[in-house]
Amino acid sequence: MSGDKELRLTKTEYAILKTLLQNKPHVVTKSVLLDRICAETPDCTENSLKIHVSNLRKKLREANGKDHIESVWGIGFILKSE
């Protein structure tokens, strides 16, 4: 994820991105992500996680035109290898 654009992430989005980066190239389960973001967000549910990931994807795509986060159906999310 290289680029010159500055990203403004919420604490929750940052926690998600940090967790995905720390676990690259492995899939991070939804339950692990929920555990990591619960301290940052009061609405710690699977639906809110999907919204935060969607917002993060949009910001990353706007920064460099690429999709970096892939959903693994029924399990969680993974950072795509470039």
Side-chain angles (χ1 to χ4, degrees):
M1 279 180 263
S2 63
D4 295 329
K5 281 195 170 183
E6 181 178 315
L7 289 179
R8 293 198 177 267
L9 302 178
T10 65
K11 287 182 181 181
T12 303
E13 292 165 349
Y14 178 79
I16 292 168
L17 183 58
K18 181 179 176 182
T19 302
L20 290 172
L21 285 167
Q22 289 173 334
N23 291 281
K24 189 176 179 180
H26 304 288
V27 175
V28 180
T29 63
K30 294 174 196 172
S31 61
V32 168
L33 284 170
L34 285 170
D35 286 346
R36 300 281 168 84
I37 68 169
C38 276
E40 304 299 332
T41 183
D43 61 337
C44 198
T45 65
E46 196 169 310
N47 285 336
S48 67
L49 174 62
K50 289 178 186 178
I51 292 167
H52 291 298
V53 170
S54 176
N55 292 339
L56 178 57
R57 279 180 170 142
K58 181 180 176 186
K59 289 177 182 182
L60 293 172
R61 190 171 34 254
E62 288 173 355
N64 70 359
K66 296 180 183 177
D67 287 321
H68 293 280
I69 301 173
E70 183 178 326
S71 296
V72 180
W73 192 83
I75 299 173
F77 302 94
I78 188 171
L79 277 181
K80 293 181 183 179
S81 297
E82 305 223 13

